[in-house]
């Protein structure tokens, strides 16, 4: 497929672009900054005119898009002011989705966030492991935008039943260079904010590919995390120390992720292959 990828110069986007190209897809990178060539187009996603023009075709780079992967955003709370985060991320996503619909691009995969689950879990999660079954619980403006984006997608697919939009609720993205700081065993509370979760960017790219291939028409959400935690300490010990009052719904004897990826495994065929424990 010819795939438009927003946020192509970001931490996750760089890896997604590489992996999609390795799988034989043509990738048109759309971002506010990046290297010339290799299908890159400089676009300010807050400007709808630039977005729809870039997706429709740019000179000799392409003459139409088969699918859209939307990763472009201020990537976390606390980087910019709340107002700047809302204006940038909400308007960018509306522009990208709306332009895709207007151009007949009917397959969209985009980055939602683990933050919709209630991160940083200063208020206890409803149960452990967490999954997609409970109502989103945003605790920051960044997360609020992610919830609103999911609602936007819900209504767009209601209006356009042929449209497929998949929200991937990515955990904290890591690349191999980050693993020198692992594990975080010294203080169970240092990484409690996301139940000690993470995602290797290469597995994040795999989730994108599986969603592009396997997601049906309609809208759905999936938690995307590594198969394990950032700790060597067993989950039972961590939960007993940090979340003693929370209901548990699985065997916590090991170090398996507490951000449930069962739904992504079952419906998308997601199968994470990378772990910090491998050392690379």
């Amino acid at each position: 497929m010819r795939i438009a990828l927003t946020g192509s110069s970001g931490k996750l986007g760089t890896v997604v672009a590489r992996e999609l190209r390795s799988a034989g897809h043509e990738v048109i990178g759309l971002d506010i900054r990046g290297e010339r060539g290799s299908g890159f187009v400089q676009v300010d996603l807050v400007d709808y005119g630039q977005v729809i023009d870039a997706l429709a075709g740019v000179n000799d780079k392409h003459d139409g898009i088969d699918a859209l992967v939307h990763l472009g955003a201020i990537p976390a709370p606390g980087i910019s002011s709340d107002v700047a985060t809302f204006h940038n991320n909400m308007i960018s996503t509306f522009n990208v989705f709306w332009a895709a619909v207007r151009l007949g691009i009917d397959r969209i995969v985009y980055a939602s966030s683990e933050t919709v689950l209630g991160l940083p879990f200063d208020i206890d999660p409803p149960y452990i492991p967490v999954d997609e079954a409970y109502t989103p619980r945003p605790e920051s403006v960044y997360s609020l935008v992610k919830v609103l984006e999911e609602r936007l997608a819900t209504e767009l697919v209601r209006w356009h039943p042929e449209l497929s939009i998949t929200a991937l609720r990515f955990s904290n993205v890591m690349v191999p260079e980050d693993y020198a700081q692992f594990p975080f065993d010294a203080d169970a509370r240092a990484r409690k904010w996301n139940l000690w979760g993470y995602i290797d960017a290469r597995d994040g790219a795999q989730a994108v590919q599986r969603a592009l291939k396997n997601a049906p028409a309609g809208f759905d959400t999936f938690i995307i995390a590594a198969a394990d935690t950032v700790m060597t300490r067993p989950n039972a010990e961590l939960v007993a120390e940090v979340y003693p009052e929370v209901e548990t719904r699985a065997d916590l004897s090991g170090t398996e992720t507490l951000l449930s990826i069962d739904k992504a495994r079952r419906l998308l065929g997601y199968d994470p292959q990378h772990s910090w424990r491998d050392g690379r």
Side-chain angles (χ1 to χ4, degrees), residues 23-279:
H25 300 291
E26 179 183 353
V27 176
I28 307 298
L30 308 177
D31 211 329
I32 195 71
R33 61 183 60 85
E35 295 184 8
R36 293 181 62 184
S38 301
F40 174 75
V41 179
Q42 185 177 37
V43 177
D44 183 350
L45 299 178
V46 177
D47 184 330
Y48 178 73
Q50 292 186 41
V51 173
I52 195 166
D53 193 40
L55 290 177
V58 178
N59 292 337
D60 60 347
K61 287 189 170 62
H62 74 88
D63 57 1
I65 296 296
D66 300 311
L68 170 69
V69 178
H70 175 44
L71 306 181
I74 295 171
I79 295 174
S80 300
S81 73
D82 290 339
V83 170
T85 298
F86 187 93
H87 286 180
N88 183 86
N89 290 3
M90 192 72 244
I91 298 304
S92 293
T93 297
F94 178 81
N95 286 347
V96 168
F97 285 7
W98 197 249
V101 169
R102 287 294 178 90
L103 294 171
I105 301 168
D106 60 7
R107 181 158 292 272
I108 300 171
V109 176
Y110 82 98
S112 185
S113 169
E114 63 182 355
T115 61
V116 305
L117 301 168
L119 274 60
F121 289 133
D122 293 331
I123 300 172
D124 288 355
Y127 48 81
I128 295 174
V130 296
D131 58 21
E132 300 88 349
Y134 65 93
T135 302
R137 206 179 74 188
E139 300 291 353
S140 66
V141 169
Y142 171 84
S143 181
L144 175 61
V145 171
K146 293 300 183 182
V147 173
L148 294 174
E149 290 171 349
E150 291 186 0
R151 183 57 189 265
L152 170 63
T154 298
E155 300 307 328
L156 287 177
V157 301
R158 181 173 64 86
W159 293 352
H160 304 280
E162 75 286 354
L163 184 62
S164 172
I165 305 181
T166 304
L168 301 180
R169 294 175 172 178
F170 289 111
S171 187
N172 187 200
V173 176
M174 300 288 180
V175 293
E177 292 76 16
D178 295 321
Y179 294 148
Q181 63 186 310
F182 284 53
F184 296 86
D185 289 346
D187 181 2
R189 296 181 179 275
R191 296 278 306 189
K192 78 174 186 68
W193 54 272
N194 74 339
L195 296 180
W196 308 281
Y198 75 106
I199 176 66
D200 187 290
R202 294 165 292 183
D203 285 324
Q206 182 210 137
V208 168
Q209 293 186 67
R210 296 298 173 89
L212 286 169
K213 180 179 179 181
N214 297 327
F219 172 67
D220 211 344
T221 65
F222 299 90
I223 295 171
I224 303 298
D228 59 348
T229 69
V230 301
M231 311 289 276
T232 63
R233 296 172 62 184
N235 290 331
E237 180 181 310
L238 298 171
V239 172
E241 178 180 341
V242 181
Y243 296 109
E245 305 300 321
V246 176
E247 174 191 355
T248 59
R249 297 186 174 182
D251 176 13
L252 302 184
S253 59
T255 58
E256 184 175 340
T257 179
L258 297 176
L259 303 170
S260 175
I261 56 175
D262 291 349
K263 182 181 176 184
R265 288 183 186 273
R266 185 174 70 254
L267 298 183
L268 296 182
Y270 172 61
D271 183 22
Q273 298 296 304
H274 301 282
S275 168
W276 68 269
R277 297 167 210 274
D278 301 332

